[in-house]
Amino acid sequence: MLNSANNNSLQHPVANSSENTMNGYNRKSPQKRRYEMPKYAVPPKKKTCKERIPQPKNTVAMLNELRNGLIYKLESQTGPVHAPLFTISVEVDGQKYMGQGRSKKVARIEAAATALRSFIQFKDGAVLSPLKPSGNLDFTSDEHLENDVSKSAITVDGQKKVPDKGPVMLLYELFNDVNFECINIDSAQNNCRFKMTVTINEKKFDGTGPSKKLAKNAAAKAALASLCNISYSPMVVPQKNVPLPIDDKSSSMELPQIHADAIGRLVLEKFMEVIKGQEAYSRRKVLAGIVMTENMNFFEAKVISVSTGTKCVSGEHISVNGAVLNDSHAEIVSRRCLLKFLYAQLDLQCNQATAYQSIFVRNTDGQYPYKLKSGVHFHLYINTAPCGDARIFSPHENDTGVDKHPNRKARGQLRTKIESGEGTIPVKSSDGIQTWDGVLQGQRLLTMSCSDKIARWNIVGIQGSLLSSIIEPVYLHSIVLGSLLHPEHMYRAVCGRIEKSIQGLPPPYHLNKPRLALVTSAEPRNQAKAPNFGINWTIGDVELEVVNSLTGRTIGGQVSRITKQAFFDKYGFLMKNLPGILNRSVTTDYGQTKANVKDYQTAKLELFSAFKREDLGSWLKKPIEQDEFVLIE
């Protein structure tokens, strides 16, 4: 008996009593446990019923996150006092949407749901999942309804704000059927690039990046931009004190994200296409291109030019007859390719049978014989911020609120490139006027930075001085970057630094403010040494041209097809053959011919004066001897 008792005490010690009663039941036997388990494991019936009560989804919070500044209005209240029916409206993108309910809260939720379904292509069976509002605001309360403007719509200096959630998370909350796939790894140019594709409602969106995570984010951003018009661009939330125009939508500096991505993709695809067969020249640091649209139709957009390059000609190779390219930076070369295209389009006007194909039309009511067709726009893509004022400060400032850069007083200064090298220096640090004999004796040949040249294009146009005697000024509609878009620095560099001091421009010259954007799949930083060559291609060219950036000639030693000499020859042909030209004689040299285009020269001198008035330095010019060449008969 004693042994039996001892055995029982060992098998059922008191110390294990807590184990025996864990989970709310006694562990007596397997049969008993199986019998009693359902009795205690199932939640109380009352709680189950409570959880199954359908709750209205917080579509208001979702809509407020996607579209800021919305105003909900009580349109009507009908029915008896004890059972009223409320009708509430909300206006989104110029369209009014209605919702009804037994309370203002429910009616508001219904209005938001109707609006959401109008611009988000939900798959069949998809549920409108609620987003948690930032700041713990209750977007569904009647009290919130009375405050005409949603508190969540508070913006930075009047600009809409980037969604609080990351793009991947937001995509999963908005759509049920989201599938990511890593479809390609590109190791070209020693930059490991991952490519992710996301499929939503049978539509595919691509993103690339140096890691799978960044590539996934880029694909999600592209999908959100296309399906929901949601942008994560740095232009959406500008930096503190940025002088961006905010008075109305038309003056917004942001190019729609879907358009920016289309421009970047078109230029990159064209580059890959034209480089085939000459992959040895695919190495590059800076890639640029210009895209043309008609009535902002990006489905039929045309890539006008593609170029690479980061160097300038060496002083010993400057030419007295306009036979070399002085500046082989990619964005400058792309603009020269655009000039080649403009000359070709004017050539079409020389023949009545082809005139209708031209992007130009006869200008019957102005001082210029020709002008662009209405709706034709040009968009510049550069894979990084242009050298000079737009780029030099941007990498240091990811903090949007605090200005930590020690050299802030140098912002806005005119800067010059250095021959045969990279980087820029302020003009105030240079030797001033450049002379022919000084350059030949070893003085460094200086060229104005790309930021400064783009600022110049935004005053005098991109058509150049020669064509300014034939056509109205042509301006860039947008500038899209592949990386390093800092809204404050970019805006200041391309137009903001002289907007308060520019004056007296002869119409139709004006200060152009191009729209700005950053592509969703940002370019990685290329740390490889920049090559001494650059390529250029213009629509209509059979093959690309490779130029030695240090000599300004092709790698075969030939004269490039986009030199001053080539354009002066084309200009001479147009003056002889183009209908509507009054004075057809071109008897002066290249420099004097340009000087005779009075309005263009007036606008250019006013640009230089504006920089001086802002104490930003004096524009440096090349030695005048290089423009003293004449047309060859």
PDB file of all heavy atoms in Angstrom, residues 440-456:
ATOM      1  N   LEU A 440      45.683  78.640 -76.514  1.00  0.00           N
ATOM      2  CA  LEU A 440      46.707  77.893 -77.263  1.00  0.00           C
ATOM      3  C   LEU A 440      48.011  77.786 -76.477  1.00  0.00           C
ATOM      4  O   LEU A 440      48.796  76.853 -76.684  1.00  0.00           O
ATOM      5  CB  LEU A 440      46.958  78.552 -78.624  1.00  0.00           C
ATOM      6  CG  LEU A 440      45.785  78.478 -79.621  1.00  0.00           C
ATOM      7  CD1 LEU A 440      46.178  79.151 -80.935  1.00  0.00           C
ATOM      8  CD2 LEU A 440      45.377  77.025 -79.880  1.00  0.00           C
ATOM      9  N   GLN A 441      48.244  78.731 -75.579  1.00  0.00           N
ATOM     10  CA  GLN A 441      49.476  78.707 -74.781  1.00  0.00           C
ATOM     11  C   GLN A 441      49.320  77.916 -73.480  1.00  0.00           C
ATOM     12  O   GLN A 441      50.214  77.917 -72.639  1.00  0.00           O
ATOM     13  CB  GLN A 441      49.921  80.141 -74.460  1.00  0.00           C
ATOM     14  CG  GLN A 441      50.449  80.890 -75.675  1.00  0.00           C
ATOM     15  CD  GLN A 441      50.759  82.348 -75.370  1.00  0.00           C
ATOM     16  OE1 GLN A 441      50.905  82.716 -74.205  1.00  0.00           O
ATOM     17  NE2 GLN A 441      50.853  83.162 -76.420  1.00  0.00           N
ATOM     18  N   GLY A 442      48.173  77.253 -73.348  1.00  0.00           N
ATOM     19  CA  GLY A 442      48.014  76.362 -72.200  1.00  0.00           C
ATOM     20  C   GLY A 442      46.967  76.765 -71.193  1.00  0.00           C
ATOM     21  O   GLY A 442      46.711  76.017 -70.247  1.00  0.00           O
ATOM     22  N   GLN A 443      46.355  77.940 -71.370  1.00  0.00           N
ATOM     23  CA  GLN A 443      45.284  78.330 -70.439  1.00  0.00           C
ATOM     24  C   GLN A 443      44.098  77.385 -70.618  1.00  0.00           C
ATOM     25  O   GLN A 443      43.739  77.032 -71.744  1.00  0.00           O
ATOM     26  CB  GLN A 443      44.849  79.767 -70.729  1.00  0.00           C
ATOM     27  CG  GLN A 443      43.861  80.322 -69.720  1.00  0.00           C
ATOM     28  CD  GLN A 443      43.454  81.754 -70.062  1.00  0.00           C
ATOM     29  OE1 GLN A 443      43.303  82.095 -71.236  1.00  0.00           O
ATOM     30  NE2 GLN A 443      43.309  82.585 -69.057  1.00  0.00           N
ATOM     31  N   ARG A 444      43.531  76.936 -69.504  1.00  0.00           N
ATOM     32  CA  ARG A 444      42.426  75.973 -69.586  1.00  0.00           C
ATOM     33  C   ARG A 444      41.213  76.565 -70.292  1.00  0.00           C
ATOM     34  O   ARG A 444      40.802  77.690 -69.992  1.00  0.00           O
ATOM     35  CB  ARG A 444      42.027  75.501 -68.188  1.00  0.00           C
ATOM     36  CG  ARG A 444      42.934  74.412 -67.641  1.00  0.00           C
ATOM     37  CD  ARG A 444      42.321  73.741 -66.437  1.00  0.00           C
ATOM     38  NE  ARG A 444      42.904  72.441 -66.197  1.00  0.00           N
ATOM     39  CZ  ARG A 444      42.472  71.580 -65.278  1.00  0.00           C
ATOM     40  NH1 ARG A 444      41.454  71.910 -64.515  1.00  0.00           N
ATOM     41  NH2 ARG A 444      43.046  70.408 -65.111  1.00  0.00           N
ATOM     42  N   LEU A 445      40.660  75.807 -71.229  1.00  0.00           N
ATOM     43  CA  LEU A 445      39.445  76.226 -71.925  1.00  0.00           C
ATOM     44  C   LEU A 445      38.250  75.942 -71.019  1.00  0.00           C
ATOM     45  O   LEU A 445      38.057  74.818 -70.566  1.00  0.00           O
ATOM     46  CB  LEU A 445      39.304  75.465 -73.244  1.00  0.00           C
ATOM     47  CG  LEU A 445      38.130  75.874 -74.133  1.00  0.00           C
ATOM     48  CD1 LEU A 445      38.282  77.314 -74.608  1.00  0.00           C
ATOM     49  CD2 LEU A 445      38.011  74.925 -75.330  1.00  0.00           C
ATOM     50  N   LEU A 446      37.464  76.971 -70.733  1.00  0.00           N
ATOM     51  CA  LEU A 446      36.337  76.839 -69.808  1.00  0.00           C
ATOM     52  C   LEU A 446      35.011  76.885 -70.568  1.00  0.00           C
ATOM     53  O   LEU A 446      34.836  77.667 -71.506  1.00  0.00           O
ATOM     54  CB  LEU A 446      36.374  77.957 -68.760  1.00  0.00           C
ATOM     55  CG  LEU A 446      37.653  78.018 -67.901  1.00  0.00           C
ATOM     56  CD1 LEU A 446      37.612  79.220 -66.971  1.00  0.00           C
ATOM     57  CD2 LEU A 446      37.831  76.736 -67.108  1.00  0.00           C
ATOM     58  N   THR A 447      34.082  76.038 -70.152  1.00  0.00           N
ATOM     59  CA  THR A 447      32.761  75.950 -70.772  1.00  0.00           C
ATOM     60  C   THR A 447      31.709  76.043 -69.680  1.00  0.00           C
ATOM     61  O   THR A 447      31.845  75.414 -68.629  1.00  0.00           O
ATOM     62  CB  THR A 447      32.612  74.601 -71.522  1.00  0.00           C
ATOM     63  OG1 THR A 447      33.648  74.497 -72.505  1.00  0.00           O
ATOM     64  CG2 THR A 447      31.261  74.499 -72.193  1.00  0.00           C
ATOM     65  N   MET A 448      30.660  76.793 -69.917  1.00  0.00           N
ATOM     66  CA  MET A 448      29.613  76.959 -68.911  1.00  0.00           C
ATOM     67  C   MET A 448      28.951  75.617 -68.588  1.00  0.00           C
ATOM     68  O   MET A 448      28.803  74.750 -69.444  1.00  0.00           O
ATOM     69  CB  MET A 448      28.557  77.964 -69.382  1.00  0.00           C
ATOM     70  CG  MET A 448      29.091  79.366 -69.620  1.00  0.00           C
ATOM     71  SD  MET A 448      29.923  80.097 -68.185  1.00  0.00           S
ATOM     72  CE  MET A 448      28.557  80.243 -67.027  1.00  0.00           C
ATOM     73  N   SER A 449      28.562  75.458 -67.318  1.00  0.00           N
ATOM     74  CA  SER A 449      28.002  74.191 -66.852  1.00  0.00           C
ATOM     75  C   SER A 449      26.657  73.897 -67.511  1.00  0.00           C
ATOM     76  O   SER A 449      25.993  74.785 -68.052  1.00  0.00           O
ATOM     77  CB  SER A 449      27.820  74.227 -65.335  1.00  0.00           C
ATOM     78  OG  SER A 449      26.700  75.044 -64.989  1.00  0.00           O
ATOM     79  N   CYS A 450      26.251  72.628 -67.442  1.00  0.00           N
ATOM     80  CA  CYS A 450      24.973  72.220 -68.034  1.00  0.00           C
ATOM     81  C   CYS A 450      23.794  72.893 -67.333  1.00  0.00           C
ATOM     82  O   CYS A 450      22.811  73.266 -67.972  1.00  0.00           O
ATOM     83  CB  CYS A 450      24.828  70.705 -67.967  1.00  0.00           C
ATOM     84  SG  CYS A 450      25.986  69.821 -69.037  1.00  0.00           S
ATOM     85  N   SER A 451      23.875  73.063 -66.012  1.00  0.00           N
ATOM     86  CA  SER A 451      22.800  73.770 -65.287  1.00  0.00           C
ATOM     87  C   SER A 451      22.620  75.176 -65.838  1.00  0.00           C
ATOM     88  O   SER A 451      21.492  75.648 -66.032  1.00  0.00           O
ATOM     89  CB  SER A 451      23.133  73.842 -63.793  1.00  0.00           C
ATOM     90  OG  SER A 451      23.061  72.576 -63.187  1.00  0.00           O
ATOM     91  N   ASP A 452      23.746  75.865 -66.088  1.00  0.00           N
ATOM     92  CA  ASP A 452      23.682  77.233 -66.597  1.00  0.00           C
ATOM     93  C   ASP A 452      23.142  77.270 -68.022  1.00  0.00           C
ATOM     94  O   ASP A 452      22.353  78.154 -68.381  1.00  0.00           O
ATOM     95  CB  ASP A 452      25.068  77.877 -66.542  1.00  0.00           C
ATOM     96  CG  ASP A 452      25.610  77.950 -65.129  1.00  0.00           C
ATOM     97  OD1 ASP A 452      24.797  78.028 -64.183  1.00  0.00           O
ATOM     98  OD2 ASP A 452      26.845  77.917 -64.957  1.00  0.00           O
ATOM     99  N   LYS A 453      23.543  76.292 -68.840  1.00  0.00           N
ATOM    100  CA  LYS A 453      23.058  76.270 -70.222  1.00  0.00           C
ATOM    101  C   LYS A 453      21.560  75.985 -70.285  1.00  0.00           C
ATOM    102  O   LYS A 453      20.848  76.558 -71.117  1.00  0.00           O
ATOM    103  CB  LYS A 453      23.845  75.237 -71.027  1.00  0.00           C
ATOM    104  CG  LYS A 453      25.289  75.668 -71.310  1.00  0.00           C
ATOM    105  CD  LYS A 453      25.997  74.743 -72.293  1.00  0.00           C
ATOM    106  CE  LYS A 453      27.376  75.285 -72.638  1.00  0.00           C
ATOM    107  NZ  LYS A 453      28.079  74.469 -73.659  1.00  0.00           N
ATOM    108  N   ILE A 454      21.084  75.107 -69.402  1.00  0.00           N
ATOM    109  CA  ILE A 454      19.641  74.839 -69.376  1.00  0.00           C
ATOM    110  C   ILE A 454      18.875  76.082 -68.914  1.00  0.00           C
ATOM    111  O   ILE A 454      17.802  76.394 -69.441  1.00  0.00           O
ATOM    112  CB  ILE A 454      19.338  73.632 -68.465  1.00  0.00           C
ATOM    113  CG1 ILE A 454      19.918  72.354 -69.081  1.00  0.00           C
ATOM    114  CG2 ILE A 454      17.840  73.472 -68.246  1.00  0.00           C
ATOM    115  CD1 ILE A 454      19.818  71.134 -68.200  1.00  0.00           C
ATOM    116  N   ALA A 455      19.438  76.814 -67.947  1.00  0.00           N
ATOM    117  CA  ALA A 455      18.818  78.081 -67.521  1.00  0.00           C
ATOM    118  C   ALA A 455      18.755  79.051 -68.699  1.00  0.00           C
ATOM    119  O   ALA A 455      17.774  79.788 -68.873  1.00  0.00           O
ATOM    120  CB  ALA A 455      19.616  78.694 -66.372  1.00  0.00           C
ATOM    121  N   ARG A 456      19.785  79.041 -69.519  1.00  0.00           N
ATOM    122  CA  ARG A 456      19.806  79.902 -70.715  1.00  0.00           C
ATOM    123  C   ARG A 456      18.718  79.473 -71.695  1.00  0.00           C
ATOM    124  O   ARG A 456      18.003  80.328 -72.254  1.00  0.00           O
ATOM    125  CB  ARG A 456      21.191  79.823 -71.363  1.00  0.00           C
ATOM    126  CG  ARG A 456      21.322  80.538 -72.694  1.00  0.00           C
ATOM    127  CD  ARG A 456      22.771  80.549 -73.130  1.00  0.00           C
ATOM    128  NE  ARG A 456      22.932  80.967 -74.520  1.00  0.00           N
ATOM    129  CZ  ARG A 456      24.060  81.444 -75.026  1.00  0.00           C
ATOM    130  NH1 ARG A 456      25.132  81.557 -74.269  1.00  0.00           N
ATOM    131  NH2 ARG A 456      24.138  81.783 -76.293  1.00  0.00           N
TER     132      ARG A 456
END
